[in-house]
Amino acid sequence: SIPSPLPTAAAGGGRLARLKMWETCALAVLVWISIGTIFYSKINGWPLATAFFYAVDAGMSIGFCTDVAETTKRSRAFSILFIILGASVVGGALALFVADLLEGVSRTITYEYRTLIENDAFERNDRDKDGFLEFSGIGTLLEEAGYHLPQEQILYICEGMDRDNDQQISRVMPLNEMT
């Protein structure tokens, strides 16, 4: 599998690390647009609003066919570098956004699918349909849910989930907390 470039909870990341990543991306795009705006304003003598519009238009290769034109070779040379850098900065930020979005969707789908399987296994093993499983049925449930554990670990899990020491587990406890 391909490792994710994004900070994840397993890698010591999490919400704060992801927020930092997004702050860094936003700052990089802001700095890039600001440099272009200031450069175009100074070199071409344009007002800041015109320079900003041109920086976004040229830098992202949008091509609105503005009625302003660069008049110096220095400005045109800068535009070439500005466009290449802009494609990298914006492309990188967009790639991180899409990867973050897909990772979240994948995590949600995996959790939902796993919950469906676990609920189905619980229902099939709750023979008297009272919403509880005896310790003896937990091993079967775990096997059906894809957990292959020795009997000692199954007993340890059951004891940890048995909140009132009655030798049975309620469906109220999500089964994916067993891992």
Side-chain angles (χ1 to χ4, degrees):
S1 83
I2 299 171
S4 172
L6 303 172
T8 61
R15 188 172 185 183
L16 185 59
R18 292 171 105 76
L19 185 58
K20 277 283 211 208
M21 176 188 65
W22 283 111
E23 287 174 359
T24 303
C25 286
L27 182 62
V29 170
L30 181 65
V31 166
W32 169 69
I33 289 293
S34 297
I35 289 170
T37 300
I38 292 166
F39 181 86
Y40 289 127
S41 178
K42 296 291 182 198
I43 296 299
N44 295 314
W46 297 338
L48 283 176
T50 302
F52 173 77
F53 180 82
Y54 192 82
V56 172
D57 184 50
M60 296 186 54
S61 301
I62 296 172
F64 281 133
C65 300
T66 62
D67 54 347
V68 294
E70 297 175 81
T71 56
T72 67
K73 288 181 183 179
R74 189 171 168 195
S75 182
R76 289 182 186 137
F78 174 80
S79 289
I80 292 169
L81 296 175
F82 187 69
I83 291 168
I84 292 170
L85 179 64
S88 300
V89 169
V90 174
L94 186 59
L96 286 174
F97 172 76
V98 170
D100 189 32
L101 181 67
L102 292 177
E103 184 178 310
V105 167
S106 175
R107 194 177 318 114
T108 300
I109 290 171
T110 301
Y111 174 78
E112 293 297 326
Y113 180 71
R114 184 174 169 178
T115 301
L116 282 172
I117 291 172
E118 290 169 349
N119 284 338
D120 183 57
F122 190 99
E123 285 179 20
R124 281 186 278 125
N125 286 286
D126 183 12
R127 308 240 188 271
D128 56 5
K129 305 298 181 208
D130 64 352
F132 294 95
L133 288 181
E134 304 292 326
F135 278 14
S136 58
I138 296 297
T140 306
L141 176 112
L142 289 170
E143 283 290 322
E144 288 181 11
Y147 303 100
H148 307 287
L149 303 172
Q151 193 60 36
E152 303 83 44
Q153 285 183 326
I154 294 171
L155 183 59
Y156 178 76
I157 290 169
C158 291
E159 289 170 351
M161 293 177 67
D162 184 9
R163 293 182 175 152
D164 54 2
N165 296 321
D166 63 353
Q167 301 292 306
Q168 56 185 3
I169 296 173
S170 166
R171 185 179 184 156
V172 174
M173 170 72 91
L175 296 177
N176 60 10
E177 289 183 14
M178 288 190 221
T179 60

